[in-house]
Amino acid sequence: MARIVMKFGGTSMAGSERIRSVAARVKREVAAGNQVAVVVSAMAGETDRLVGFCREASPLYDPREYDVVVSAGEQITSGLLAIALQAIGVPARSWLGWQLPIHTSDAHARARIGTIDTDALDASLSAGEVAVIPGFQGVADSGRVTTLGRGGSDTSAVAVAAAMKAERCDIYTDVDGVYTTDPRIVPRARKLARVTYEEMLELASVGAKVLQTRSVGLAMKENVRVQVLSSFTGDDAPMADTLPGTMIVGEEEIDDVERQLITGIAHDKNEAKITLASVPDRPGSVAAIFAPLAEAGINVDMIVQNVAHSTGSTDVTFTVPAADLARSLDVLGQAKPAIGYDKLVHDTRVAKISVVGVGMKSHAGVASTMFTTLGERGINIQAITTSEIKVSVLIEEDYTELAVRVLHTAYGLDAEVAG
């Protein structure tokens, strides 16, 4: 008997028919002798609808009441799934975030999970019940309902799996695993059997939409094995651990024979480039730029400082999320006297292309291959950033798909064509 967490996203819970399909899938895991907890998202589009109500009520809404409203979407689907399970003979009950409880910080609309009490959950599972838990929500020490921010249900699922010491956390989505790149751009992209936590964290942070970044970070911290599966494989699909999804695991679980130099290519068009021209080239100038942005909660990614001009000034280029561009321009405009720049230029027609793989740790030439491949296709690199297992470049948005395709081929990631 194994303990398993199954997480279903909004598309999997979109309507009664799909909820019944989810119930049938859960029943098969129970029939196999497993103890199962299910974490659910709101129905697709429901959270947006509830957020819209809050904004209509008042643009300056109270975040505590906002959490009461938007957490209702998951409360509805958890109750509906429990009803659907009971209807097919599976003992089940829903557990809201405050009932377990799932303790979080009091940062409403962006809370962090602290601890999860498992006494009631353990008793429920031991009694043969399926525990249905709404994702995305918890409770602060004040007793107020909190939410974790968009995409928080994945984090909820991983946190529940860690708390109940589950064998694995199965995350069912509208894709059937993690691919070497977006199959819509590269039809010969290959599905990966295993990916390390580090690689998945980097892929998620640079544009891969399969898993939410916070959930991967928590899985790595708590050593929770996460499996990505499709929830649309038919009612007669085999058990989850026999399906060819993708396992997110520790590096020690991946044999050297399975490991390749590059795991995947990711792209992100949600970047905006900002250049400050003629910034005084003196100590403290860079801090004067980025400190106000940090105080405003704006994440800066790629940074390039050009060679100093003979006039004693320099140009500084960096990227921010496109959604934060307007706020960034406002912050930098207010800080202009302290920074002392001459002109500000911004560009949203850019994309970040990233090459990720743990093989970089022990192999040279990865960056060189990337730069050479892009150069041969006439793709100009505007900025570069690296980590131990990632190289990212900023390019013109129009070249995104071409860059992904040629890099996928250059690193030998294309699947073999069936003969």
Side-chain angles (χ1 to χ4, degrees):
M1 177 184 293
R3 282 193 164 186
I4 294 170
V5 172
M6 304 173 73
K7 187 267 174 179
F8 294 90
T11 52
S12 304
M13 304 299 293
S16 298
E17 183 177 343
R18 288 188 176 178
I19 290 174
R20 284 193 290 269
S21 178
V22 166
R25 191 175 296 277
V26 173
K27 182 177 182 177
R28 291 198 296 277
E29 288 287 0
V30 173
N34 295 319
Q35 293 184 347
V36 181
V38 185
V39 175
V40 295
S41 297
M43 293 185 187
E46 181 65 8
T47 302
D48 287 337
R49 189 176 75 93
L50 296 172
V51 170
F53 286 150
C54 291
R55 290 173 175 163
E56 288 174 11
S58 171
L60 300 176
Y61 51 73
D62 182 340
R64 294 168 297 184
E65 303 304 340
Y66 167 93
D67 278 353
V68 172
V69 175
V70 299
S71 62
E74 283 75 13
Q75 178 171 326
I76 290 167
T77 50
S78 61
L80 289 174
L81 180 56
I83 291 171
L85 285 165
Q86 293 166 4
I88 58 175
V90 179
R93 69 152 289 180
S94 61
W95 293 90
L96 301 186
W98 59 268
Q99 291 176 313
L100 285 174
I102 298 173
H103 299 282
T104 75
S105 66
D106 61 358
H108 288 275
R110 50 186 175 85
R112 297 271 176 174
I113 295 176
T115 59
I116 299 177
D117 293 349
T118 59
D119 291 347
L121 180 59
D122 288 339
S124 177
L125 294 173
S126 297
E129 285 184 333
V130 170
V132 185
I133 302 167
F136 178 61
Q137 66 172 244
V139 61
D141 289 342
S142 63
R144 298 295 301 254
V145 171
T146 57
T147 64
L148 309 183
R150 301 307 295 264
S153 291
D154 283 357
T155 303
S156 297
V158 172
V160 168
M164 60 185 267
K165 297 179 173 56
E167 180 178 298
R168 67 178 191 273
C169 177
D170 293 336
I171 296 185
Y172 290 83
T173 71
D174 52 3
V175 298
D176 62 350
V178 180
Y179 281 75
T180 48
T181 196
D182 188 339
R184 292 169 299 182
I185 296 177
V186 182
R188 292 175 66 184
R190 292 184 290 108
K191 184 164 61 178
L192 299 162
R194 291 171 183 259
V195 176
T196 69
Y197 295 124
E198 281 184 289
E199 290 169 327
M200 194 65 241
L201 192 59
E202 291 283 19
L203 287 168
S205 70
V206 295
K209 302 297 192 294
V210 178
L211 291 176
Q212 198 254 359
T213 307
R214 278 173 62 189
S215 67
V216 181
L218 181 61
M220 182 165 64
K221 176 177 176 289
E222 299 293 340
N223 200 31
V224 174
R225 301 170 79 243
V226 175
Q227 185 171 210
V228 179
L229 298 158
S230 172
S231 56
F232 303 110
T233 53
D235 292 339
D236 58 348
M239 301 309 300
D241 54 0
T242 66
L243 288 171
T246 299
M247 289 292 297
I248 317 298
V249 296
E251 195 172 336
E252 67 281 355
E253 283 199 47
I254 299 182
D255 298 331
D256 286 338
V257 294
E258 295 181 77
R259 186 167 298 159
Q260 55 191 29
L261 176 60
I262 297 302
T263 296
I265 315 289
H267 70 282
D268 188 358
K269 295 183 179 181
N270 298 310
E271 295 273 318
K273 182 179 72 169
I274 297 174
T275 298
L276 300 182
S278 300
V279 176
D281 186 21
R282 60 173 182 247
S285 291
V286 173
I289 297 170
F290 298 116
L293 293 171
E295 289 171 7
I298 297 169
N299 181 48
V300 174
D301 184 13
M302 314 176 98
I303 301 173
V304 176
Q305 181 170 346
N306 296 332
V307 176
H309 306 311
S310 58
T311 56
S313 64
T314 186
D315 299 338
V316 179
T317 297
F318 55 93
T319 63
V320 297
D324 289 333
L325 177 60
R327 283 199 305 135
S328 300
L329 298 179
D330 181 60
V331 168
L332 293 168
Q334 294 183 42
K336 183 175 181 179
I339 300 171
Y341 64 86
D342 178 54
K343 184 172 63 173
L344 184 155
V345 179
H346 65 275
D347 185 2
T348 57
R349 297 163 310 191
V350 294
K352 180 169 63 178
I353 309 296
S354 303
V355 174
V356 176
V358 291
M360 292 187 197
K361 293 181 180 180
S362 54
H363 292 79
V366 172
S368 175
T369 298
M370 185 180 200
F371 304 154
T372 300
T373 301
L374 295 178
E376 288 173 347
R377 291 304 186 108
I379 301 173
N380 186 46
I381 296 172
Q382 303 177 22
I384 303 167
T385 187
T386 65
S387 74
E388 192 175 25
I389 65 168
K390 177 195 71 180
V391 180
S392 296
V393 298
L394 193 71
I395 65 171
E396 187 178 332
E397 184 181 40
D398 290 346
Y399 290 102
T400 302
E401 285 75 16
L402 174 61
V404 170
R405 287 195 296 268
V406 298
L407 289 172
H408 198 267
T409 300
Y411 289 109
L413 298 177
D414 292 347
E416 295 293 332
V417 178

